[in-house]
Amino acid sequence: MKDQSSLYERALANNKKWIAEKRATNKDFFKHLAEGQSPEVLYIGCSDSRATAEDLMGAQPGQVFVHRNIANVVGGADLNSLSVIEFAIGHLHVKHVVVCGHYYCGGVKAAMQAKDLGVLNPWLRYIRDVYRIHQKELDAISDEDQRYRRLVELNVQEQCINVIKTAVVQKTFLRTGAPVVHGWVFDVRTGELIDLKIDFENELKHIREIYDLGFEKG
Ligand code: CO
């Protein structure tokens, strides 16, 4: 019989089942978890309930450091995402940074509309800035759905560039050869993760022409 209660009502009971499952596969699971974390990946994704980070890449607790916000944005003065990046790279030494957008992103959709959305305006401005940078390409796409999908991809690309603009990425990569920044899109219709194949080293080289924080000169 199907349980008709809400997820919220079932959550604590579900948690007990989850503990039992984890212990059944590895009796020391929580002992290891308590010893600390050394995630390999920093995932920066959308808060959308369908794009669930660990679950869609088959990751276990302890493997992915996660930051999610509306439309996976990395703003130049956003202490939240910048602190996550600083900590994940400078202290946890992640080897990969993934910016993951998703098709049918409500944040990207909202940014495409000429509408005052209150406190969301300054946040959506980051995405409208992406549209402005790529206006020629986007305006040339007559199909609205296709244009929406392309903006999702371009937003991922520009947020990857914003990650590359940070001193911690530039300095750590030049010193150690990691982390590498990747751009992905999650297709909610198929479940597929699509690698946009961002040429990280080329982007880094290009970014350092203007935003070089890597090597202190002199
Ligand atoms: Co979204």
Side-chain angles (χ1 to χ4, degrees), residues 175-199:
R175 207 180 62 240
T176 70
V180 175
V181 178
H182 313 269
W184 293 355
V185 174
F186 174 61
D187 191 339
V188 293
R189 297 166 314 171
T190 63
E192 194 188 353
L193 280 173
I194 299 150
D195 185 353
L196 297 180
K197 295 196 166 52
I198 287 178
D199 185 345

Side-chain angles (χ1 to χ4, degrees), residues 46-48 50 69-72 102 104-108:
C46 184
S47 297
D48 191 297
R50 299 165 296 179
N69 61 37
I70 292 175
N72 40 272
H102 67 101
Y104 304 105
C105 180
V108 171

Side-chain angles (χ1 to χ4, degrees), residues 10-24:
R10 283 180 279 130
L12 298 185
N14 285 351
N15 170 253
K16 288 194 170 63
K17 268 188 246 164
W18 177 77
I19 293 169
E21 281 164 21
K22 291 294 178 200
R23 279 198 174 133

Side-chain angles (χ1 to χ4, degrees), residues 49-186:
S49 58
R50 299 165 296 179
T52 55
E54 291 98 334
D55 194 41
L56 56 86
M57 37 176 158
Q60 291 296 319
Q63 294 184 313
V64 187
F65 202 69
V66 175
H67 178 72
R68 290 167 71 180
N69 61 37
I70 292 175
N72 40 272
V73 161
V74 178
D78 171 28
L79 278 179
N80 192 346
S81 59
L82 295 176
S83 300
V84 166
I85 291 167
E86 183 74 32
F87 185 68
I89 296 170
H91 298 264
L92 297 174
H93 313 296
V94 296
K95 298 286 177 270
H96 301 272
V97 179
V98 172
V99 176
C100 186
H102 67 101
Y103 294 131
Y104 304 105
C105 180
V108 171
K109 185 83 186 169
M112 288 177 81
Q113 290 157 2
K115 210 172 180 183
D116 173 8
L117 292 162
V119 77
L120 283 170
N121 293 337
W123 194 259
L124 298 179
R125 189 193 292 173
Y126 292 122
I127 306 154
R128 289 177 173 140
D129 287 344
V130 174
Y131 200 109
R132 184 171 52 80
I133 295 167
H134 298 277
Q135 186 172 5
K136 216 170 155 193
E137 179 190 340
L138 289 161
D139 282 353
I141 304 170
S142 54
D143 182 78
E144 202 188 323
D145 194 56
Q146 225 181 311
R147 193 162 68 246
Y148 177 21
R149 289 164 62 88
R150 185 61 186 143
L151 182 55
V152 165
E153 295 167 1
L154 291 170
N155 182 46
V156 168
Q157 187 183 306
E158 291 299 329
Q159 302 314 326
C160 284
I161 287 168
N162 285 342
V163 174
I164 298 169
K165 284 175 191 167
T166 63
V168 71
V169 167
Q170 295 183 23
K171 283 185 180 155
T172 312
F173 181 80
L174 294 169
R175 207 180 62 240
T176 70
V180 175
V181 178
H182 313 269
W184 293 355
V185 174
F186 174 61

